[in-house]
Amino acid sequence: MNEQVPDRTAPPRRNADEMRVYGINACLALFAKRPHDLRKVYLLESRIPQFKAVLAWCVQKKLGYRVVGNTDLEKLTASQHHEGVCFEARKIPLPSLTALLQRLPRAPQPALLAWLDGVGNPHNIGAVLRSAANFGAAGVLLSADAAPGLSGAACRVAEGGAEAVPMARIAPGEDALGTLRNAGFTLAATVPHEGEALFASRLPPRLVFALGAEGEGLSRALIDRADLHLSIPGTGAVESLNVAASAAVLFGEYWRQRQHAAGARTPRR
């Protein structure tokens, strides 16, 4: 079924429960994880070979798809970085913290979470999700005042990580730290200075890394209530890494320590 873009002067309207996801890996991951949420497909002719299975699905399910030009995709995505493809798909509502924790292995099984305190930049959120997926984090928590949900830009930067790592929103007034501690988690606040050096620390198996927004950093209340305070060592040539780079380093060290611990428990033959 072939659908025409009805108005080339403005992006077609979409339902409130839908979002636009763009970028090759982001779209392929969405189709692999939840094809039934797909609603429409727009793509450049050059992308047809990569998306044959998607287009066949559209034909089978009588979903609209359209081969469009670059200008159309820029209007649809409000971005020049669409990579030649855009999906309209059903949004996934962000679950509560309690709902996310119910999906995780129970204590004392290892699990890693990231708490983004005031982080709202979609590119930073996407980069954190990409690193979280690579290093096996179990979820990402958004503060109550964060954006209402994932954006297309965040999904593109995540390169498929948005489909691999669940996100949850902390409710206004919720005692999130108490809930996390009851589930066996330790909260580690990441601070630029005066924290324990990350690579010299022994990270607990059930851990939440709390990361703050650019400029403001972590809230004072969260720093004061944290169980650990960690700093990423470096040359001192810059004050600190940005939130996305910090997350990648933190997740990588957690992964390294857990792999080492698993290796130590494996009996030698």
Side-chain angles (χ1 to χ4, degrees):
M1 179 179 178
N2 218 341
E3 178 182 326
Q4 298 295 320
V5 176
D7 182 359
R8 292 181 180 271
T9 64
R13 293 182 179 180
R14 62 186 185 278
N15 296 330
D17 66 341
E18 295 177 356
M19 66 178 295
R20 291 195 177 106
V21 175
Y22 54 93
I24 294 171
N25 289 333
C27 289
L28 288 174
L30 188 155
F31 181 68
K33 184 73 175 289
R34 48 189 185 101
H36 288 90
D37 285 339
L38 190 60
R39 295 294 180 263
K40 295 179 184 178
V41 173
Y42 303 95
L43 75 171
L44 298 178
E45 185 175 3
S46 60
R47 294 298 182 213
I48 291 176
Q50 290 171 280
F51 288 87
K52 281 185 176 180
V54 177
L55 300 184
W57 175 270
C58 289
V59 172
Q60 179 186 353
K61 301 299 181 180
K62 296 182 170 59
L63 300 176
Y65 72 88
R66 175 78 167 107
V67 178
V68 296
N70 188 69
T71 301
D72 294 312
L73 282 175
E74 288 182 358
K75 291 176 181 177
L76 285 161
T77 62
S79 173
Q80 296 180 339
H81 307 291
H82 48 70
E83 300 178 8
V85 62
C86 173
F87 286 1
E88 287 188 0
R90 188 178 69 86
K91 294 178 183 177
I92 299 179
L94 297 184
S96 67
L97 172 59
T98 300
L100 175 63
L101 292 176
Q102 289 174 345
R103 304 177 189 176
L104 305 185
R106 293 183 180 274
Q109 292 300 311
L112 176 64
L113 299 172
W115 182 337
L116 302 185
D117 180 38
V119 178
N121 183 294
H123 293 87
N124 282 336
I125 293 174
V128 170
L129 286 169
R130 183 175 183 177
S131 296
N134 185 73
F135 292 112
V140 171
L141 312 179
L142 295 179
S143 52
D145 58 351
L150 275 175
S151 67
C155 291
R156 180 190 68 81
V157 175
E159 295 283 352
E163 300 297 331
V165 180
M167 299 180 70
R169 182 180 303 284
I170 296 169
E174 179 179 13
D175 181 14
L177 184 50
T179 301
L180 289 164
R181 283 177 174 151
N182 287 338
F185 282 92
T186 297
L187 180 72
T190 57
V191 293
H193 311 290
E194 300 180 357
E196 182 181 353
L198 172 67
F199 304 125
S201 65
R202 184 173 182 179
L203 301 177
R206 290 177 75 82
L207 182 62
V208 182
F209 285 126
L211 299 117
E214 298 292 337
E216 298 85 357
L218 280 176
S219 67
R220 186 72 248 175
L222 199 53
I223 293 174
D224 290 343
R225 295 187 67 195
D227 305 296
L228 301 174
H229 298 88
L230 298 174
S231 297
I232 298 173
T235 64
V238 294
E239 181 180 8
S240 63
L241 300 173
N242 73 9
V243 62
S246 295
V249 175
L250 293 162
F251 297 164
E253 177 60 13
Y254 176 88
W255 169 268
R256 185 194 69 80
Q257 292 194 22
R258 295 269 57 81
Q259 295 296 108
H260 179 76
R265 291 194 299 269
T266 303
R268 295 181 179 179
R269 294 183 179 180

PDB file of all heavy atoms in Angstrom, residues 14 31 40 54 58-59 67 95-97 103-104 114 119 138 144-145 149 161 186 190 192 197 215 217 221 252 265:
ATOM      1  N   ARG A  14       0.012  13.749  13.257  1.00  0.00           N
ATOM      2  CA  ARG A  14      -0.030  12.379  13.768  1.00  0.00           C
ATOM      3  C   ARG A  14      -0.822  12.367  15.068  1.00  0.00           C
ATOM      4  O   ARG A  14      -1.037  13.403  15.694  1.00  0.00           O
ATOM      5  CB  ARG A  14       1.378  11.836  14.004  1.00  0.00           C
ATOM      6  CG  ARG A  14       2.192  12.601  15.049  1.00  0.00           C
ATOM      7  CD  ARG A  14       3.616  12.069  15.086  1.00  0.00           C
ATOM      8  NE  ARG A  14       4.398  12.678  16.143  1.00  0.00           N
ATOM      9  CZ  ARG A  14       4.996  13.849  16.064  1.00  0.00           C
ATOM     10  NH1 ARG A  14       4.878  14.566  14.950  1.00  0.00           N
ATOM     11  NH2 ARG A  14       5.719  14.323  17.068  1.00  0.00           N
ATOM     12  N   PHE A  31      11.569  -1.944  14.812  1.00  0.00           N
ATOM     13  CA  PHE A  31      10.860  -2.980  14.048  1.00  0.00           C
ATOM     14  C   PHE A  31      11.160  -4.367  14.596  1.00  0.00           C
ATOM     15  O   PHE A  31      10.278  -5.228  14.656  1.00  0.00           O
ATOM     16  CB  PHE A  31      11.244  -2.896  12.567  1.00  0.00           C
ATOM     17  CG  PHE A  31      10.546  -3.900  11.705  1.00  0.00           C
ATOM     18  CD1 PHE A  31       9.179  -3.817  11.479  1.00  0.00           C
ATOM     19  CD2 PHE A  31      11.244  -4.955  11.134  1.00  0.00           C
ATOM     20  CE1 PHE A  31       8.527  -4.756  10.689  1.00  0.00           C
ATOM     21  CE2 PHE A  31      10.611  -5.892  10.347  1.00  0.00           C
ATOM     22  CZ  PHE A  31       9.237  -5.793  10.117  1.00  0.00           C
ATOM     23  N   LYS A  40       3.378   4.108  10.237  1.00  0.00           N
ATOM     24  CA  LYS A  40       3.689   4.586   8.892  1.00  0.00           C
ATOM     25  C   LYS A  40       5.202   4.595   8.709  1.00  0.00           C
ATOM     26  O   LYS A  40       5.955   4.687   9.677  1.00  0.00           O
ATOM     27  CB  LYS A  40       3.155   6.006   8.668  1.00  0.00           C
ATOM     28  CG  LYS A  40       1.637   6.134   8.700  1.00  0.00           C
ATOM     29  CD  LYS A  40       1.217   7.589   8.488  1.00  0.00           C
ATOM     30  CE  LYS A  40      -0.298   7.740   8.620  1.00  0.00           C
ATOM     31  NZ  LYS A  40      -0.722   9.155   8.473  1.00  0.00           N
ATOM     32  N   VAL A  54      10.665  -4.466   6.371  1.00  0.00           N
ATOM     33  CA  VAL A  54       9.712  -3.509   6.928  1.00  0.00           C
ATOM     34  C   VAL A  54       8.615  -3.206   5.922  1.00  0.00           C
ATOM     35  O   VAL A  54       7.421  -3.180   6.266  1.00  0.00           O
ATOM     36  CB  VAL A  54      10.430  -2.215   7.349  1.00  0.00           C
ATOM     37  CG1 VAL A  54       9.428  -1.186   7.851  1.00  0.00           C
ATOM     38  CG2 VAL A  54      11.481  -2.508   8.404  1.00  0.00           C
ATOM     39  N   CYS A  58       4.568  -3.773   6.036  1.00  0.00           N
ATOM     40  CA  CYS A  58       3.577  -2.733   5.758  1.00  0.00           C
ATOM     41  C   CYS A  58       2.526  -3.223   4.771  1.00  0.00           C
ATOM     42  O   CYS A  58       1.323  -2.967   4.938  1.00  0.00           O
ATOM     43  CB  CYS A  58       4.264  -1.481   5.209  1.00  0.00           C
ATOM     44  SG  CYS A  58       5.245  -0.583   6.422  1.00  0.00           S
ATOM     45  N   VAL A  59       2.971  -3.916   3.743  1.00  0.00           N
ATOM     46  CA  VAL A  59       2.025  -4.452   2.761  1.00  0.00           C
ATOM     47  C   VAL A  59       1.109  -5.476   3.424  1.00  0.00           C
ATOM     48  O   VAL A  59      -0.116  -5.462   3.240  1.00  0.00           O
ATOM     49  CB  VAL A  59       2.782  -5.083   1.579  1.00  0.00           C
ATOM     50  CG1 VAL A  59       1.814  -5.822   0.663  1.00  0.00           C
ATOM     51  CG2 VAL A  59       3.532  -4.002   0.800  1.00  0.00           C
ATOM     52  N   VAL A  67       7.907   6.479  -0.340  1.00  0.00           N
ATOM     53  CA  VAL A  67       9.259   6.851  -0.736  1.00  0.00           C
ATOM     54  C   VAL A  67       9.255   8.357  -0.979  1.00  0.00           C
ATOM     55  O   VAL A  67       8.496   8.860  -1.802  1.00  0.00           O
ATOM     56  CB  VAL A  67       9.694   6.094  -2.010  1.00  0.00           C
ATOM     57  CG1 VAL A  67      11.082   6.540  -2.439  1.00  0.00           C
ATOM     58  CG2 VAL A  67       9.670   4.583  -1.761  1.00  0.00           C
ATOM     59  N   PRO A  95       6.914   3.648  32.420  1.00  0.00           N
ATOM     60  CA  PRO A  95       6.348   3.025  33.626  1.00  0.00           C
ATOM     61  C   PRO A  95       6.812   3.752  34.881  1.00  0.00           C
ATOM     62  O   PRO A  95       7.724   4.593  34.854  1.00  0.00           O
ATOM     63  CB  PRO A  95       6.912   1.609  33.573  1.00  0.00           C
ATOM     64  CG  PRO A  95       8.213   1.756  32.855  1.00  0.00           C
ATOM     65  CD  PRO A  95       7.994   2.832  31.831  1.00  0.00           C
ATOM     66  N   SER A  96       6.214   3.426  35.976  1.00  0.00           N
ATOM     67  CA  SER A  96       6.643   3.952  37.270  1.00  0.00           C
ATOM     68  C   SER A  96       7.918   3.248  37.703  1.00  0.00           C
ATOM     69  O   SER A  96       8.301   2.194  37.168  1.00  0.00           O
ATOM     70  CB  SER A  96       5.549   3.725  38.312  1.00  0.00           C
ATOM     71  OG  SER A  96       5.391   2.327  38.551  1.00  0.00           O
ATOM     72  N   LEU A  97       8.567   3.806  38.704  1.00  0.00           N
ATOM     73  CA  LEU A  97       9.764   3.175  39.264  1.00  0.00           C
ATOM     74  C   LEU A  97       9.424   1.798  39.815  1.00  0.00           C
ATOM     75  O   LEU A  97      10.159   0.825  39.583  1.00  0.00           O
ATOM     76  CB  LEU A  97      10.346   4.060  40.362  1.00  0.00           C
ATOM     77  CG  LEU A  97      11.489   3.468  41.187  1.00  0.00           C
ATOM     78  CD1 LEU A  97      12.656   3.090  40.297  1.00  0.00           C
ATOM     79  CD2 LEU A  97      11.930   4.454  42.268  1.00  0.00           C
ATOM     80  N   ARG A 103      10.295  -5.765  37.222  1.00  0.00           N
ATOM     81  CA  ARG A 103      10.804  -6.531  36.080  1.00  0.00           C
ATOM     82  C   ARG A 103      12.221  -7.050  36.297  1.00  0.00           C
ATOM     83  O   ARG A 103      12.699  -7.892  35.530  1.00  0.00           O
ATOM     84  CB  ARG A 103      10.819  -5.647  34.820  1.00  0.00           C
ATOM     85  CG  ARG A 103       9.501  -5.014  34.449  1.00  0.00           C
ATOM     86  CD  ARG A 103       9.702  -4.116  33.235  1.00  0.00           C
ATOM     87  NE  ARG A 103       8.531  -3.301  32.928  1.00  0.00           N
ATOM     88  CZ  ARG A 103       8.481  -2.385  31.967  1.00  0.00           C
ATOM     89  NH1 ARG A 103       9.552  -2.194  31.219  1.00  0.00           N
ATOM     90  NH2 ARG A 103       7.392  -1.675  31.765  1.00  0.00           N
ATOM     91  N   LEU A 104      12.902  -6.522  37.306  1.00  0.00           N
ATOM     92  CA  LEU A 104      14.315  -6.832  37.493  1.00  0.00           C
ATOM     93  C   LEU A 104      14.507  -8.065  38.363  1.00  0.00           C
ATOM     94  O   LEU A 104      13.632  -8.428  39.154  1.00  0.00           O
ATOM     95  CB  LEU A 104      15.025  -5.648  38.152  1.00  0.00           C
ATOM     96  CG  LEU A 104      14.911  -4.293  37.461  1.00  0.00           C
ATOM     97  CD1 LEU A 104      15.766  -3.265  38.182  1.00  0.00           C
ATOM     98  CD2 LEU A 104      15.300  -4.382  35.995  1.00  0.00           C
ATOM     99  N   ALA A 114      20.599   3.803  36.072  1.00  0.00           N
ATOM    100  CA  ALA A 114      21.100   5.177  36.012  1.00  0.00           C
ATOM    101  C   ALA A 114      19.954   6.118  36.337  1.00  0.00           C
ATOM    102  O   ALA A 114      18.850   5.958  35.812  1.00  0.00           O
ATOM    103  CB  ALA A 114      21.662   5.485  34.632  1.00  0.00           C
ATOM    104  N   VAL A 119      18.370  15.864  33.753  1.00  0.00           N
ATOM    105  CA  VAL A 119      18.930  15.775  32.399  1.00  0.00           C
ATOM    106  C   VAL A 119      17.778  15.775  31.397  1.00  0.00           C
ATOM    107  O   VAL A 119      16.919  14.892  31.440  1.00  0.00           O
ATOM    108  CB  VAL A 119      19.784  14.499  32.232  1.00  0.00           C
ATOM    109  CG1 VAL A 119      20.320  14.400  30.811  1.00  0.00           C
ATOM    110  CG2 VAL A 119      20.921  14.487  33.240  1.00  0.00           C
ATOM    111  N   ALA A 138      20.128  -2.140  33.464  1.00  0.00           N
ATOM    112  CA  ALA A 138      18.766  -2.667  33.525  1.00  0.00           C
ATOM    113  C   ALA A 138      17.703  -1.606  33.334  1.00  0.00           C
ATOM    114  O   ALA A 138      16.531  -1.939  33.133  1.00  0.00           O
ATOM    115  CB  ALA A 138      18.545  -3.375  34.857  1.00  0.00           C
ATOM    116  N   ALA A 144      11.132  13.647  37.853  1.00  0.00           N
ATOM    117  CA  ALA A 144       9.732  13.991  37.626  1.00  0.00           C
ATOM    118  C   ALA A 144       9.566  15.181  36.691  1.00  0.00           C
ATOM    119  O   ALA A 144       8.582  15.273  35.963  1.00  0.00           O
ATOM    120  CB  ALA A 144       9.045  14.278  38.961  1.00  0.00           C
ATOM    121  N   ASP A 145      10.549  16.093  36.679  1.00  0.00           N
ATOM    122  CA  ASP A 145      10.433  17.295  35.859  1.00  0.00           C
ATOM    123  C   ASP A 145      11.082  17.153  34.497  1.00  0.00           C
ATOM    124  O   ASP A 145      11.227  18.136  33.763  1.00  0.00           O
ATOM    125  CB  ASP A 145      11.056  18.492  36.596  1.00  0.00           C
ATOM    126  CG  ASP A 145      12.524  18.253  36.943  1.00  0.00           C
ATOM    127  OD1 ASP A 145      12.995  17.111  36.759  1.00  0.00           O
ATOM    128  OD2 ASP A 145      13.185  19.198  37.415  1.00  0.00           O
ATOM    129  N   GLY A 149       8.655  12.277  27.561  1.00  0.00           N
ATOM    130  CA  GLY A 149       8.978  10.951  27.061  1.00  0.00           C
ATOM    131  C   GLY A 149      10.144  11.018  26.092  1.00  0.00           C
ATOM    132  O   GLY A 149      10.782  12.062  25.910  1.00  0.00           O
ATOM    133  N   GLY A 161      19.456   1.667  21.349  1.00  0.00           N
ATOM    134  CA  GLY A 161      19.464   1.494  22.794  1.00  0.00           C
ATOM    135  C   GLY A 161      18.149   1.837  23.451  1.00  0.00           C
ATOM    136  O   GLY A 161      17.825   1.301  24.521  1.00  0.00           O
ATOM    137  N   THR A 186      22.163   0.384  46.023  1.00  0.00           N
ATOM    138  CA  THR A 186      23.001   1.428  46.595  1.00  0.00           C
ATOM    139  C   THR A 186      23.024   2.597  45.616  1.00  0.00           C
ATOM    140  O   THR A 186      23.159   2.390  44.406  1.00  0.00           O
ATOM    141  CB  THR A 186      24.440   0.911  46.813  1.00  0.00           C
ATOM    142  OG1 THR A 186      24.411  -0.160  47.750  1.00  0.00           O
ATOM    143  CG2 THR A 186      25.351   2.008  47.316  1.00  0.00           C
ATOM    144  N   THR A 190      27.586  10.818  41.427  1.00  0.00           N
ATOM    145  CA  THR A 190      28.797  11.144  40.686  1.00  0.00           C
ATOM    146  C   THR A 190      29.067  12.635  40.839  1.00  0.00           C
ATOM    147  O   THR A 190      28.229  13.461  40.498  1.00  0.00           O
ATOM    148  CB  THR A 190      28.650  10.755  39.212  1.00  0.00           C
ATOM    149  OG1 THR A 190      27.509  11.406  38.647  1.00  0.00           O
ATOM    150  CG2 THR A 190      28.467   9.257  39.070  1.00  0.00           C
ATOM    151  N   PRO A 192      32.198  15.878  40.546  1.00  0.00           N
ATOM    152  CA  PRO A 192      33.462  16.184  39.866  1.00  0.00           C
ATOM    153  C   PRO A 192      34.681  16.046  40.766  1.00  0.00           C
ATOM    154  O   PRO A 192      35.759  15.668  40.309  1.00  0.00           O
ATOM    155  CB  PRO A 192      33.279  17.633  39.402  1.00  0.00           C
ATOM    156  CG  PRO A 192      31.818  17.888  39.431  1.00  0.00           C
ATOM    157  CD  PRO A 192      31.276  17.017  40.519  1.00  0.00           C
ATOM    158  N   ALA A 197      37.716   7.739  44.078  1.00  0.00           N
ATOM    159  CA  ALA A 197      38.118   7.513  42.688  1.00  0.00           C
ATOM    160  C   ALA A 197      37.433   6.262  42.145  1.00  0.00           C
ATOM    161  O   ALA A 197      37.508   5.187  42.758  1.00  0.00           O
ATOM    162  CB  ALA A 197      39.631   7.379  42.587  1.00  0.00           C
ATOM    163  N   GLY A 215      25.967  21.747  33.674  1.00  0.00           N
ATOM    164  CA  GLY A 215      25.936  23.030  34.368  1.00  0.00           C
ATOM    165  C   GLY A 215      25.518  22.887  35.811  1.00  0.00           C
ATOM    166  O   GLY A 215      26.303  23.108  36.741  1.00  0.00           O
ATOM    167  N   GLY A 217      24.579  20.126  37.522  1.00  0.00           N
ATOM    168  CA  GLY A 217      25.027  18.934  38.218  1.00  0.00           C
ATOM    169  C   GLY A 217      23.909  18.314  39.045  1.00  0.00           C
ATOM    170  O   GLY A 217      22.733  18.658  38.906  1.00  0.00           O
ATOM    171  N   ALA A 221      20.377  17.839  47.464  1.00  0.00           N
ATOM    172  CA  ALA A 221      19.649  16.872  48.289  1.00  0.00           C
ATOM    173  C   ALA A 221      20.019  15.445  47.905  1.00  0.00           C
ATOM    174  O   ALA A 221      20.176  14.577  48.777  1.00  0.00           O
ATOM    175  CB  ALA A 221      18.144  17.092  48.146  1.00  0.00           C
ATOM    176  N   GLY A 252      31.002   1.293  31.996  1.00  0.00           N
ATOM    177  CA  GLY A 252      32.087   0.408  31.585  1.00  0.00           C
ATOM    178  C   GLY A 252      32.840  -0.167  32.769  1.00  0.00           C
ATOM    179  O   GLY A 252      33.210  -1.349  32.772  1.00  0.00           O
ATOM    180  N   ARG A 265      34.276 -16.439  40.177  1.00  0.00           N
ATOM    181  CA  ARG A 265      33.373 -17.476  40.718  1.00  0.00           C
ATOM    182  C   ARG A 265      33.359 -18.736  39.877  1.00  0.00           C
ATOM    183  O   ARG A 265      32.838 -19.760  40.294  1.00  0.00           O
ATOM    184  CB  ARG A 265      31.956 -16.919  40.824  1.00  0.00           C
ATOM    185  CG  ARG A 265      31.781 -15.849  41.891  1.00  0.00           C
ATOM    186  CD  ARG A 265      30.304 -15.612  42.154  1.00  0.00           C
ATOM    187  NE  ARG A 265      29.616 -15.141  40.953  1.00  0.00           N
ATOM    188  CZ  ARG A 265      29.456 -13.859  40.621  1.00  0.00           C
ATOM    189  NH1 ARG A 265      29.976 -12.916  41.397  1.00  0.00           N
ATOM    190  NH2 ARG A 265      28.813 -13.515  39.548  1.00  0.00           N
TER     191      ARG A 265
END
